[in-house]
Amino acid sequence: MSDIRVKIDGVAMAAPDKILTNKDLERIVDTSDEWIRTRTGMVERRISDEHTAASDIVLKACEKLFKKSSIRTRDIDLIIVATVTPDHPFPSTACILQTKLGIPHCPAFDISAGCTGFIYAITIAKQFIENGSATNALVIGVELLTKITNWTDRNTCVLFGDGAGAAIVTQANKGEISEIIDTYISSDGRYGDLLIMRGGGSRNPTSKETVEQNMHTLYMEGNKIFKIAVKSMGDAAVRILERNGFTGDDVDWLIPHQANLRIIDATAKRIHLLPQKVIINIEKYGNTSSASIPLAFAEAIEDGRVRRGDLIVLDAFGAGLTWGSVLLRY
Ligand code: ACO
């Protein structure tokens, strides 16, 4: 066990200005505002323009992040970007960001864990810091899912939006209340085909055929995933609380992945948490995958709901299939 304790120093978010409403979607596919609201809780989402890539939005989030922090970009010695919509398949968006922010030589890499990406990235950063390999990590969740959306598929195109969240994960000082207490991550690859982008990799390299067959867009069998998501997110929240001796009564905030209001409600119920203790912004941003937790976290800090010392559970589920949770005192 390491003596080094790890905390989240700050979180900031950014999203494109352009809003795509449920009403706008009614003009694109056979859907309705009523269906989308009642099945998902979504009302609008943000959509980036053709010139914007993942690192551009992250940069905006990072500008806010470093303005609020005493840690400077030159102090960062680890960059982890969780995304399934990087600027390019390679080089990593983390390396692109390193250059944009002028961060000195350090490990920088992307990870792919779908909507659980931010939880995976926090877990990795915590371990780098605990074992002395890094001191100040920049941890990002960013997704421009509207760039890989099949706009003819009503099952998926109404669900996703664009955004980015950025956090500085660093050493906690002695006696400080802020701390990442525990993290839990897991996966089950057997269900990988239920949420997949089939084209563009080594299995189906880009060709005229893969483009014609829409294989470069996201495919999801949402109703098959739904039950697994409810169970996995509930289990992840229960597990992290139980193994650290807490119950739902101790929790100030649940900040869940924003995929579906019904999944969020079920997760809160599993840990017997009052609805007013759940941070929800799905109505404004839709499902922004790995960006959704830091985006909701940052908004709740900005508007004063989340305060230093609050006990918080982060909880997510996504492509892989993957799931996980983080227990922390902010
Ligand atoms: N508008 C109107 N009707 C629609 C739409 C739409 N946009 N989409 C589907 N329907 C129809 C279907 O065709 C179906 O019609 P039918 O009964 O005539 O066949 C009916 O609505 C019900 O469809 P379901 O897919 O069963 O609807 P469900 O209640 O399951 O909601 C949803 C779908 C919102 C996708 C839900 O299943 C869900 O949230 N799943 C989990 C998604 C998730 O957590 N993914 C992981 C994270 S995402 C990531 O990692 C990128």
Side-chain angles (χ1 to χ4, degrees):
M1 273 287 276
S2 162
D3 290 340
I4 300 172
R5 290 161 61 245
V6 181
K7 67 168 184 177
I8 293 190
D9 174 71
V11 191
M13 56 75 68
D17 294 332
K18 191 175 171 195
I19 293 171
L20 186 72
T21 66
N22 290 351
K23 286 278 172 204
D24 295 330
L25 286 161
E26 286 180 356
R27 289 187 283 275
I28 300 173
V29 284
D30 179 16
T31 190
S32 67
D33 175 48
E34 203 261 334
W35 190 95
I36 303 170
R37 275 176 200 258
T38 53
R39 295 289 174 129
T40 70
M42 295 169 192
V43 179
E44 57 186 46
R45 66 286 292 143
R46 300 299 178 90
I47 180 167
S48 49
D49 64 29
E50 67 207 79
H51 308 294
T52 304
S55 67
D56 301 323
I57 299 202
V58 175
L59 201 59
K60 288 187 180 164
C62 286
E63 278 161 14
K64 289 198 228 168
L65 183 71
F66 285 103
K67 231 178 234 168
K68 290 190 297 186
S69 177
S70 59
I71 294 167
R72 309 264 65 99
T73 50
R74 64 172 176 272
D75 304 322
I76 296 294
D77 54 7
L78 172 66
I79 308 168
I80 309 174
V81 175
T83 188
V84 297
T85 48
D87 285 24
H88 314 283
F90 66 87
S92 71
T93 301
C95 285
I96 294 170
L97 200 63
Q98 178 186 27
T99 303
K100 286 190 174 186
L101 289 168
I103 293 173
H105 291 182
C106 70
F109 54 90
D110 293 358
I111 59 152
S112 168
C115 302
T116 319
F118 189 72
I119 304 271
Y120 269 64
I122 292 276
T123 303
I124 298 165
K126 180 174 184 279
Q127 297 194 3
F128 264 76
I129 295 169
E130 278 174 350
N131 73 25
S133 304
T135 307
N136 302 305
L138 180 60
V139 176
I140 310 288
V142 58
E143 227 65 84
L144 268 59
L145 286 173
T146 67
K147 302 263 183 179
I148 58 161
T149 294
N150 177 354
W151 295 105
T152 65
D153 177 14
R154 72 172 181 173
N155 291 295
T156 55
C157 77
V158 303
L159 303 174
F160 300 109
D162 301 340
I168 295 172
V169 179
T170 185
Q171 284 188 8
N173 297 322
K174 251 205 161 117
E176 204 175 349
I177 190 161
S178 301
E179 180 179 13
I180 299 174
I181 298 164
D182 195 9
T183 72
Y184 160 67
I185 51 176
S186 194
S187 66
D188 187 342
R190 288 176 302 168
Y191 301 106
D193 283 347
L194 297 178
L195 179 46
I196 187 168
M197 189 170 92
R198 293 183 196 283
S202 54
R203 176 72 57 205
N204 302 299
T206 308
S207 67
K208 196 163 163 277
E209 288 71 34
T210 61
V211 174
E212 279 168 0
Q213 289 166 31
N214 250 328
M215 286 168 77
H216 301 276
T217 58
L218 179 154
Y219 170 84
M220 180 170 80
E221 294 185 41
N223 51 3
K224 288 196 184 149
I225 289 178
F226 190 89
K227 272 191 195 156
I228 311 173
V230 168
K231 181 167 183 339
S232 308
M233 276 185 63
D235 287 353
V238 168
R239 178 185 285 249
I240 202 117
L241 286 173
E242 278 184 1
R243 76 182 186 193
N244 290 282
F246 292 105
T247 71
D249 286 342
D250 303 309
V251 173
D252 293 300
W253 299 107
L254 169 67
I255 308 181
H257 170 47
Q258 315 275 317
N260 188 311
L261 199 51
R262 291 179 288 149
I263 299 175
I264 294 173
D265 289 345
T267 305
K269 274 197 191 120
R270 269 292 296 280
I271 55 169
H272 309 289
L273 200 67
L274 296 171
Q276 55 268 35
K277 289 187 165 189
V278 187
I279 305 285
I280 297 169
N281 63 4
I282 193 171
E283 71 287 354
K284 283 199 289 181
Y285 299 103
N287 179 347
T288 57
S289 187
S290 63
S292 88
I293 287 179
L295 220 145
F297 200 160
E299 280 201 335
I301 295 169
E302 270 169 36
D303 66 24
R305 276 176 294 170
V306 165
R307 290 151 187 258
R308 283 283 167 203
D310 282 355
L311 188 72
I312 299 174
V313 175
L314 314 179
D315 195 3
F317 172 86
L321 299 175
T322 55
W323 58 90
S325 51
V326 173
L327 181 68
L328 65 98
R329 277 204 190 276
Y330 179 60

